């Protein structure tokens, strides 16, 4: 039995076993040939070398395939990573040393194989660092992007197809309705349309814009000064010192229709009558459309005003008042067209003192007179509809009664005015209030309690020259400007007593005793200290037509 070798056979070993060198004593024919091995070497039986597999079997086991380009790149990446991992971090800046250069690979070691090709220059030749968590897109992020992005893409596509800006957001139903309206054409002329709505900050449609009352007041004031400012400056003798007084008498439930009054205040130094007017306004959704009495827009707005704001009969009277011309008004008040058969503004059968404005501040044509005396109770000169300007409550008020023929009578400096609603119907002789000293729209106060009486149409005052009121014909005298009343051969100048004969036409026959108090007249009604008329207030007409004083 062969002995086992505990050492190993090598060229440098000095402790090899004696039997390992037995081949040196063999004859040359039995020795193995050197160079390329043509056959398996023979080792002593029982040695360690004899137990190893043969060279042929070992060559077949270690045979490997040739490396591809991918294997070469993978090996280079692995070497780069291992070099980075093994390189220690520098302790300080002074000990920094350049990394060792990679050892060149010996192409002879490939034992006849083809050397690996050099990688092409470009982005892929540069070694890529390790992937970070931020560089990876998770499955959840991809799903979330798809879920959110697809609906947004659909909304943008539908918005662009509908022709709307991308910033607007409307529901699918509204978009469908818009497309249907475009498909079937516009709505009929009588179809009501909703007011235009503005989108809110959150994208939902905002509530429709409510009518602005402050804007309405400013617009009415501007229109009043534009249409009546020149006449007011001429009558007042100075520019208005305060803005017009605007009062909204009636408003519709939705606030889109308004009817009211406006007046230009009179300066404290003037004794003139105020410039007044009615106004009608309609909210168009963006702005107000305003019309003053005497203008064409006023009648148009009154014709379209809802019945819950103004009845058709009242609108018809006010439209006639606003459209009345100067010639038509003169024909109505002088009796040629019948007229409203007006009486003087106090109790029938009593006499009051007739007054006129200061000759220095009076303007032609003469359109206003003042009356004082009696019991101080002011009555309506004829049937019509009642309106008030400037005043409210127990203070001074300017009242107006618009009659059926379109002519209106006004009553200024009235206190304790009636509480009737605006537009109420009053009859001839109905109580309106009591006389006062202060004007409702400003102006110089009067020396005694009186009522300022004048005739008006929509565009302005109606001259009193030739007007028949209370059985008297009123005229004016140029120098000085004075108004007087005459009935037949009798004339009454300012400061004289004037009897209210009621709604009767003028006659040539004078009353039986015009200078004496009539039944029902109270003391203190005349201009004299005892109530009697002043001596120069009553005149008789001569046969030639000239006036003679008594």
């Amino acid at each position: 039995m062969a002995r086992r070798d505990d050492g190993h056979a090598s060229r440098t070993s000095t402790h090899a076993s004696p039997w390992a060198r037995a081949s040196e004593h063999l004859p040359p024919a039995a020795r193995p040939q050197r160079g390329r091995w043509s056959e398996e070497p023979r080792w002593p039986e029982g040695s360690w070398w004899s137990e190893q597999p043969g060279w042929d079997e070992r060559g077949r086991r270690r045979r490997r395939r040739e490396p591809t380009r991918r294997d070469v790149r993978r090996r280079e990446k692995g070497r780069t990573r291992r070099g980075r991992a093994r390189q220690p971090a520098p302790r300080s800046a002074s000990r920094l040393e350049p990394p060792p250069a990679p050892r060149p690979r010996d192409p002879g070691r490939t034992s006849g194989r083809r050397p690996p090709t050099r990688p092409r220059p470009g982005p892929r030749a540069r070694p890529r660092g390790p992937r970070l968590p931020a560089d990876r897109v998770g499955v959840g992020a991809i799903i979330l992007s798809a879920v959110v992005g697809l609906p947004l893409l659909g909304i943008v596509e539908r918005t662009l197809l509908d022709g709307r800006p991308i910033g607007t957001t409307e529901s699918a139903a509204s978009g469908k309705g818009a497309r249907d309206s475009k498909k079937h054409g516009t709505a009929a002329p009588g179809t009501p349309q909703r007011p235009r709505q503005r989108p809110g900050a959150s994208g939902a449609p905002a509530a429709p814009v409510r009518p602005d009352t402050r804007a309405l007041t400013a617009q009415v004031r501007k229109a009043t000064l534009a249409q009546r400012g020149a006449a007011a400056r001429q009558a007042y003798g100075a520019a208005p010192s305060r803005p017009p007084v605007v009062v909204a008498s009636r408003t519709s439930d939705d606030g889109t229709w308004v009817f009211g009054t406006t007046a230009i205040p009179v300066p404290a130094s003037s004794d003139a009558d105020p410039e007044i007017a009615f106004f009608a306004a309609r909210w168009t959704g963006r702005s107000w459309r305003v019309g003053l009495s005497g203008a064409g827009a006023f009648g148009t707005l009154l014709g379209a005003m809802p019945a819950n704001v103004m009845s058709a009969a009242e609108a018809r009277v006010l439209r006639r008042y606003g459209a009345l011309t100067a010639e038509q008004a003169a024909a109505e008040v002088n009796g040629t067209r019948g007229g409203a058969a007006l009486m003087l503004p106090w109790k029938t059968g009593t006499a009051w003192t007739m007054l006129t404005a200061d000759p220095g501040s009076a303007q032609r044509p003469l359109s206003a007179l003042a009356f004082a005396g009696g019991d101080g109770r002011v009555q309506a000169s004829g049937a019509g509809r009642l309106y008030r300007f400037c005043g409210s409550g127990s203070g001074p008020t300017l009242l107006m009664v618009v009659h059926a023929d379109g002519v209106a009578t006004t009553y200024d400096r009235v206190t304790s005015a009636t509480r009737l609603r605006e537009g109420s119907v009053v009859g001839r002789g109905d109580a309106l209030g009591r006389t006062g000293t202060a004007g409702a729209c400003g102006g110089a106060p009067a020396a005694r309690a009186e009522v300022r009486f004048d005739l008006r149409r929509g565009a302005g005052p109606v001259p009193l020259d030739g007007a028949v009121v209370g059985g008297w014909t009123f005229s004016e005298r140029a120098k000085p400007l004075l108004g007087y009343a005459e009935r037949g051969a009798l004339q009454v100048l300012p400061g004289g007593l004037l009897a209210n004969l009621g709604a009767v036409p003028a006659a040539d026959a004078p009353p039986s005793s015009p200078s004496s108090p009539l039944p029902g007249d109270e003391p203190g009604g005349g201009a004299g200290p005892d109530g009697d008329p002043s001596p120069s207030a009553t005149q008789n007409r001569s046969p030639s037509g000239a006036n003679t004083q008594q």
Side-chain angles (χ1 to χ4, degrees):
M1 186 173 181
R3 186 183 56 172
R4 186 175 183 85
D5 183 17
D6 295 334
H8 61 275
S10 64
R11 295 179 180 179
T12 59
S13 177
T14 57
H15 54 276
S17 301
W19 59 263
R21 294 189 298 267
S23 57
E24 296 180 358
H25 303 280
L26 293 177
R31 295 181 183 177
Q33 299 180 2
R34 295 186 179 183
R36 191 172 182 179
W37 297 330
S38 58
E39 59 181 356
E40 184 179 355
R42 299 179 180 179
W43 301 99
E45 184 179 356
S47 64
W48 178 82
W49 296 100
S50 62
E51 295 179 0
Q52 301 301 319
W55 290 105
D56 296 338
E57 183 180 356
R58 186 179 303 175
R60 289 195 302 269
R61 191 187 315 175
R62 294 183 180 181
R63 186 179 302 169
R64 294 181 299 177
R65 61 181 179 84
E66 295 183 0
T68 60
R69 296 182 180 180
R70 182 179 299 178
D71 297 338
V72 174
R73 289 197 297 268
R74 196 174 296 171
R75 290 175 183 175
E76 291 179 356
K77 292 180 182 179
R79 293 174 182 175
T80 305
R81 292 179 183 177
R82 286 193 296 271
R84 292 179 181 178
R86 293 175 182 178
Q87 182 178 1
R91 296 185 179 181
S92 61
S94 60
R95 299 184 180 180
L96 291 178
E97 296 179 358
R103 184 173 55 183
R105 188 172 181 181
D106 187 7
R109 298 179 59 184
T110 56
S111 55
R113 302 173 187 173
R114 187 181 62 178
T117 59
R118 187 175 182 181
R120 299 179 181 178
R124 295 186 178 181
R126 184 180 304 173
R128 186 188 305 175
R131 286 188 177 182
L132 301 177
D135 298 336
R136 301 178 182 178
V137 180
V139 179
I142 297 176
I143 297 176
L144 181 62
S145 302
V147 171
V148 176
L150 291 179
L152 290 178
L153 182 61
I155 292 174
V156 172
E157 181 180 2
R158 174 164 295 187
T159 303
L160 294 177
L161 291 177
D162 293 343
R164 302 191 307 269
I166 296 180
T168 58
T169 56
E170 296 180 1
S171 60
S174 62
K176 182 179 179 181
R179 290 193 298 272
D180 292 344
S181 62
K182 293 181 181 178
K183 180 179 179 181
H184 297 288
T186 57
T191 305
Q193 299 181 358
R194 296 183 178 179
R196 188 175 181 180
Q197 298 180 354
R198 299 179 180 178
S202 60
V209 180
R210 291 286 299 174
D212 190 357
T213 56
R214 294 184 179 179
L216 173 62
T217 302
Q219 192 168 347
V220 172
R221 287 176 176 172
K222 183 178 179 181
T224 303
L225 293 176
Q227 300 182 22
R228 305 296 177 92
R233 284 191 296 269
Q234 182 179 2
Y236 301 166
S241 57
R242 291 182 296 167
V245 179
V246 179
V247 179
S249 303
R250 282 175 251 176
T251 306
S252 60
D253 296 338
D254 56 356
T256 57
W257 288 91
V258 180
F259 172 78
T261 60
T262 176
I264 301 178
V266 184
S269 60
S270 176
D271 193 33
D273 294 327
E275 281 290 333
I276 58 176
F278 293 106
F279 76 87
R282 179 184 181 183
W283 176 253
T284 61
R286 295 183 179 179
S287 60
W288 287 99
R289 183 185 178 189
V290 178
L292 298 185
S293 55
F298 179 74
T300 303
L301 291 172
L302 288 181
M305 190 162 289
N308 58 354
V309 178
M310 180 178 294
S311 63
E314 182 181 0
R316 185 165 52 251
V317 172
L318 290 176
R319 291 175 66 185
R320 187 178 295 114
Y321 164 79
L324 196 66
T325 63
E327 294 77 11
Q328 293 173 349
E332 294 291 345
V333 299
N334 62 18
T336 57
R337 295 182 58 180
L342 302 175
M343 73 172 195
L344 293 171
W346 63 84
K347 186 178 179 180
T348 305
T350 61
W352 282 24
T353 302
M354 185 180 66
L355 307 172
T356 56
D358 183 9
S361 61
Q363 301 289 333
R364 295 193 68 183
L366 185 66
S367 60
L369 293 173
F371 303 98
D375 58 359
R377 297 179 181 177
V378 182
Q379 296 180 358
S381 297
R385 293 186 178 271
L386 177 68
Y387 303 93
R388 55 178 51 86
F389 293 78
C390 296
S392 61
S394 59
T397 308
L398 192 156
L399 299 176
M400 175 185 286
V401 177
V402 182
H403 307 288
D405 57 357
V407 178
T409 53
T410 61
Y411 315 82
D412 194 10
R413 304 181 188 271
V414 176
T415 60
S416 303
T418 179
R419 299 288 185 176
L420 292 177
R421 184 177 60 87
E422 296 282 333
S424 299
V425 177
V426 296
R428 181 186 296 110
D430 289 352
L432 300 180
R434 303 185 67 88
T435 57
T437 58
C441 301
R448 58 184 298 185
E450 63 183 18
V451 56
R452 297 291 293 268
F453 177 82
D454 66 341
L455 304 175
R456 286 184 178 267
R457 62 186 181 94
V462 177
L464 280 171
D465 190 20
V468 178
V469 182
W472 297 85
T473 302
F474 290 85
S475 302
E476 67 178 33
R477 188 169 63 184
K479 295 180 180 180
L481 181 59
L482 296 175
Y484 61 91
E486 59 184 354
R487 182 180 174 85
L490 184 64
Q491 277 188 351
V492 178
L493 298 178
L497 283 176
L498 189 64
N500 185 11
L501 303 179
V504 295
D508 294 335
S512 57
S513 56
S515 60
S516 61
L518 298 177
D521 189 14
E522 299 180 1
D530 298 330
D532 298 331
S534 65
S536 62
T538 305
Q539 299 178 350
N540 286 332
R541 184 188 302 273
S542 64
S544 62
N547 294 332
T548 59
Q549 295 183 359
Q550 292 183 348

